[in-house]
Amino acid sequence: MKIVVIIPTYNEKENISRMLVTLEKEVFPQIKNHEMSILVADDKSPDGTQDEVKKVAKDYKNIELIEGNKEGLGAAYARAMKYAMNKMGGGAVIELDADFQHDPHDVVRLVAAMDEGYDYVIGSRYVPGGKIPKEWGFYRKFISFYGGSVFGRAVLWLWGIHDVTSGYKLTRTEYLKKVDLDHLYSKYYAYKIHILHDIVKMGAKVKEVPIIFYERQKGSSKIEQKDLFDSFYVVLRLRVMDSEKFIKFLVVGGVGFILNAVILRLGVEYVHWNPSIANLAGAALAIFSNYNFNNLWTFNESKITSLRAYFYKMLQFYLTSAFGVIFIQTGTIFLGDKFLGRKNYFIYFLFGTGLLLIWNFTIYNKIIWRKKSPVA
Ligand code: GDD
Ligand code: MN
């Protein structure tokens, strides 16, 4: 596989040559089963970073350089990732800082983890064996650990991941291709939280490999105070987006619920149907309504468009919904009716419907409108 190591640079004249040479001489020779290459994404650094890159690139064919305007780290990465995927044919990309805070030798371990079958490998400071600079004072440690990692994990419900702001990672491009790089919520450092969130939600296999994060020796950090607020903003916006789907699902389900309840009541009160039968009729109508509104609205990003898929998925939807309606919802009504008496049938209906909602949301996400997961 072709693996592209992306190195973003802004005024890294004192670091970049040594970084490139270290990768070429000490790191890449250890990786025998992949074709390794480097993409430097420089934003017109005024210090002559590009001249350094060009000098080293004369000796190695696998180094490319692209240039952009300085808009921020996330903007530079979005541009570089698209280039690595579309122009260089990368099957995986590695994000690596130029300033030796990341040890380039760790690339070997990131690649090895991918070879074990992982899609997204995080160089992690917050798993056993990982470290942050001991020189960091309390405030910096606190901001990085609680402000960055714990806050993001809690709000986005990513407890499985311990370092959500690490800048060192490997991503298989099958997954990266599905991230909307043109509309990341941040052009700055928080871009990485957005990509991580999307890739984890796609169901990629994630592995955290411990890394030691060193103190910068040369040049200076470009991170600013505003990046902290930007990160909070990105995390909260992602949270709202995630809940939006569930809220829409509830609204659609609410409409279905009303249809179901109206048919049930009309059937029982006026036609004198058995409540179980009346519920089946109501549910059949509710399912039809749910299928179409969820397709057009809730899950519109994975909307079913072809006629064939429309009917096939509708059948699937009816079968899984019918299972829920028969065994979960109607089953609840049946048991209530049998053991607790007919008088409270409507209560059994409400309770059964609550259980049905949980079943449905799971099935819609995991089966019906499942985002097609790439085949490895
Ligand atoms: N092209 C480009 N454009 N490169 C940039 C820009 C930019 O606007 N801003 C920063 N870079 C480059 C730097 O030159 C360096 O190679 C790399 O991105 C990381 O920048 P630093 O300024 O050294 O970041 P940091 O050390 O403060 O932050 C690191 O650790 C954070 C976690 O504590 C990075 O790895 C972050 O991504 C990470 O979140
Ligand atoms: Mn740095």
Side-chain angles (χ1 to χ4, degrees):
M1 180 193 284
K2 181 153 182 180
I3 301 177
V4 181
V5 178
I6 300 175
I7 310 175
T9 52
Y10 193 73
N11 290 343
E12 299 290 359
K13 176 187 157 78
E14 297 163 285
N15 293 309
I16 190 64
S17 314
R18 184 159 75 94
M19 177 55 75
L20 296 174
V21 172
T22 307
L23 285 168
E24 296 286 1
K25 287 207 172 137
E26 296 173 20
V27 180
F28 292 172
Q30 293 185 57
I31 303 168
K32 307 245 181 322
N33 54 335
H34 296 288
E35 185 193 336
M36 304 301 296
S37 46
I38 300 173
L39 174 61
V40 178
D42 186 68
D43 285 351
K44 302 193 173 131
S45 300
D47 73 343
T49 297
Q50 292 194 17
D51 299 331
E52 296 294 313
V53 177
K54 285 173 191 157
K55 254 187 254 165
V56 182
K58 280 193 191 126
D59 298 334
Y60 302 95
K61 282 201 207 49
N62 59 348
I63 300 178
E64 292 201 41
L65 168 68
I66 54 169
E67 178 188 80
N69 293 319
K70 184 156 178 11
E71 292 175 278
L73 183 62
Y77 260 120
R79 194 187 311 122
M81 284 166 165
K82 285 189 276 181
Y83 188 89
M85 292 191 286
N86 305 332
K87 299 269 159 45
M88 297 173 76
V93 299
I94 292 176
E95 292 162 62
L96 169 65
D97 290 354
D99 58 3
F100 284 91
Q101 289 198 266
H102 297 150
D103 180 349
H105 298 90
D106 290 339
V107 162
V108 178
R109 290 189 302 127
L110 297 187
V111 171
M114 179 189 76
D115 286 339
E116 275 169 39
Y118 293 96
D119 306 307
Y120 190 61
V121 187
I122 303 171
S124 177
R125 300 162 294 175
Y126 299 122
V127 293
K131 284 192 178 64
I132 51 173
K134 46 184 178 311
E135 295 86 349
W136 277 10
F138 173 78
Y139 178 72
R140 243 181 116 185
K141 281 187 184 151
F142 183 85
I143 292 293
S144 170
F145 187 65
Y146 289 100
S149 258
V150 175
F151 179 76
R153 290 166 70 197
V155 176
L156 297 174
W157 211 248
L158 291 172
W159 291 110
I161 290 167
H162 301 83
D163 192 346
V164 296
T165 56
S166 169
Y168 201 3
K169 49 178 68 109
L170 177 151
T171 313
R172 275 184 185 267
T173 54
E174 298 159 20
Y175 286 88
L176 195 57
K177 271 182 194 145
K178 298 201 158 60
V179 175
D180 187 358
L181 294 171
D182 294 322
H183 300 98
L184 293 174
Y185 291 172
S186 172
K187 287 187 163 198
Y188 312 104
Y189 286 78
Y191 81 93
K192 70 190 77 243
I193 303 176
H194 191 163
I195 295 184
L196 177 134
H197 163 273
D198 285 10
I199 289 195
V200 171
K201 301 273 146 138
M202 280 175 211
K205 283 182 75 186
V206 182
K207 165 98 173 177
E208 282 182 281
V209 167
I211 57 158
I212 298 176
F213 190 61
Y214 295 92
E215 191 65 309
R216 195 191 247 273
Q217 303 301 337
K218 293 192 171 136
S220 56
S221 169
K222 281 88 201 172
I223 210 159
E224 295 169 42
Q225 182 78 42
K226 73 165 179 2
D227 285 299
L228 181 63
F229 298 108
D230 184 52
S231 299
F232 286 141
Y233 160 78
V234 168
V235 167
L236 293 174
R237 188 164 164 198
L238 289 168
R239 171 76 272 166
V240 169
M241 286 309 291
D242 284 355
S243 318
E244 189 180 297
K245 212 180 199 180
F246 187 67
I247 293 164
K248 286 177 172 178
F249 162 84
L250 286 181
V251 171
V252 170
V255 172
F257 168 82
I258 291 168
L259 289 171
N260 191 339
V262 165
I263 300 287
L264 172 69
R265 294 209 74 138
L266 289 177
V268 173
E269 312 287 335
Y270 295 98
V271 197
H272 305 293
W273 280 343
N274 174 300
S276 301
I277 300 292
N279 185 59
L280 279 181
L285 183 65
I287 292 170
F288 185 76
S289 156
N290 287 353
Y291 178 67
N292 286 289
F293 286 122
N294 276 321
N295 189 40
L296 295 172
W297 192 44
T298 318
F299 297 95
N300 64 343
E301 71 214 58
S302 26
K303 187 156 60 207
I304 302 159
T305 43
S306 85
L307 203 60
R308 199 189 144 99
Y310 176 85
F311 284 111
Y312 174 71
K313 288 281 178 184
M314 184 153 77
L315 180 68
Q316 228 181 14
F317 191 87
Y318 261 96
L319 290 177
T320 53
S321 303
F323 178 89
V325 167
I326 293 167
F327 290 97
I328 297 169
Q329 189 195 39
T330 310
T332 307
I333 298 177
F334 175 81
L335 292 176
D337 186 40
K338 191 168 160 76
F339 295 109
L340 303 169
R342 183 151 304 182
K343 192 166 125 288
N344 289 322
Y345 75 91
F346 202 72
I347 305 282
Y348 319 145
F349 164 73
L350 292 179
F351 187 67
T353 304
L355 297 177
L356 182 64
L357 282 184
I358 297 169
W359 162 260
N360 281 345
F361 193 65
T362 311
I363 296 290
Y364 299 176
N365 277 291
K366 304 266 179 235
I367 296 180
I368 312 283
W369 287 281
R370 183 202 166 110
K371 293 230 178 75
K372 282 189 194 65
S373 82
V375 214

